[in-house]
Amino acid sequence: SQKIEQNSEALNIQEGKTATLTCNYTNYSPAYLQWYRQDPGRGPVFLLLIRENEKEKRKERLKVTFDTTLKQSLFHITASQPADSATYLCALGYRAGNNRKLIWGLGTSLAVNP
Amino acid sequence: GAVVSQHPSRVICKSGTSVKIECRSLDFQATTMFWYRQFPKQSLMLMATSNEGSKATYEQGVEKDKFLINHASLTLSTLTVTSAHPEDSSFYICSASEDGNVAFFGQGTRLTVV
């Protein structure tokens, strides 16, 4: 079956450390993968998009990798801060016939402790 | 990033009444808008995709007569929950995309049907 999985357990790390979140998928022909941040009771906020032919993308303290062989994307936050505490969602854009669809992971909750 | 405004953020309505939720892209033209529903600790569930000036495409299992979507302009889409019932209580989120890939989300609407 087709699915997308993120770490189900909450991630707790110390301020200043690097947080690494995982997004795995199966049985999709990916076009791109996106990472979003969602705070409680709010809509997701777009962070980064990485295309199938890209290995790595960076934006300030954020880094995303995309390995289409392993069918996995890693999302890193370096020098983490308490303000980074949120739920992080990955969304996979994939080809379905002539259309493109987007499927969402359940998200991983990150808590950065001061 | 681009701004999407969703209104209202919270609404409480009586069972049997209809509720309209607005989604506006404030600083870009949204060729495509998406409507999602999210239950607590669940992933975003796509309800429908709408393109300006054409009928919305509903996902399987979503009643189009119950969830009326109008994408009247490149900056405005509305979702009307008709004859709402308590089981329709949920968090509804819209997103808008200019290029069909990256989507920017509204703040979400917490609907409670009593």
Side-chain angles (χ1 to χ4, degrees):
Chain A
S1 62
Q2 299 172 321
K3 57 182 180 179
I4 183 168
E5 288 185 336
Q6 296 185 246
N7 318 60
S8 57
E9 292 183 12
L11 183 63
N12 281 274
I13 64 168
Q14 207 63 31
E15 182 175 8
K17 301 291 186 184
T18 296
T20 298
L21 286 71
T22 305
C23 180
N24 295 297
Y25 63 93
T26 60
N27 299 334
Y28 289 107
S29 177
Y32 56 84
L33 192 140
Q34 303 179 42
W35 284 89
Y36 288 78
R37 168 186 174 141
Q38 188 174 23
D39 292 283
R42 310 286 293 178
V45 174
F46 171 74
L47 296 175
L48 281 167
L49 179 150
I50 186 165
R51 300 190 184 280
E52 60 175 326
N53 59 349
E54 298 176 314
K55 296 291 185 186
E56 182 179 296
K57 190 162 262 190
R58 292 174 184 261
K59 179 183 175 183
E60 298 172 351
R61 295 185 295 112
L62 309 180
K63 184 178 87 170
V64 171
T65 62
F66 196 12
D67 189 325
T68 54
T69 302
L70 291 178
K71 298 186 186 300
Q72 180 182 78
S73 175
L74 298 179
F75 177 78
H76 307 273
I77 305 175
T78 59
S80 60
Q81 304 165 1
D84 295 327
S85 300
T87 295
Y88 290 85
L89 304 168
C90 70
L92 184 76
Y94 67 98
R95 300 178 187 87
N98 292 326
N99 299 316
R100 279 194 181 178
K101 288 187 173 274
L102 196 64
I103 184 167
W104 293 83
L106 284 173
T108 299
S109 175
L110 171 67
V112 181
N113 305 308
Chain B
V3 179
V4 175
S5 175
Q6 186 174 340
H7 178 81
S9 58
R10 287 180 181 274
V11 59
I12 300 173
C13 71
K14 289 185 177 180
S15 189
T17 61
S18 296
V19 173
K20 180 185 281 189
I21 303 169
E22 287 191 353
C23 181
R24 293 180 185 272
S25 56
L26 297 187
D27 52 2
F28 67 101
Q29 293 189 326
T31 55
T32 309
M33 285 190 169
F34 306 88
W35 287 96
Y36 292 87
R37 187 171 178 175
Q38 188 177 34
F39 292 104
K41 299 189 187 300
Q42 298 292 312
S43 68
L44 294 165
M45 186 190 80
L46 180 65
M47 298 174 67
T49 303
S50 72
N51 294 295
E52 185 265 338
S54 60
K55 290 184 178 180
T57 302
Y58 289 80
E59 294 299 302
Q60 194 171 12
V62 178
E63 297 177 58
K64 59 182 178 183
D65 293 331
K66 179 162 187 66
F67 299 100
L68 300 178
I69 292 172
N70 186 308
H71 191 161
S73 74
L74 282 171
T75 60
L76 173 64
S77 176
T78 60
L79 167 68
T80 301
V81 183
T82 62
S83 187
H85 289 98
E87 58 264 31
D88 298 324
S89 299
S90 189
F91 191 53
Y92 292 87
I93 315 175
C94 72
S95 71
S97 178
E98 188 175 22
D99 64 1
N101 293 326
V102 176
F104 298 95
F105 284 80
Q107 306 95 313
T109 298
R110 173 73 57 193
L111 171 63
T112 304
V113 184
V114 298

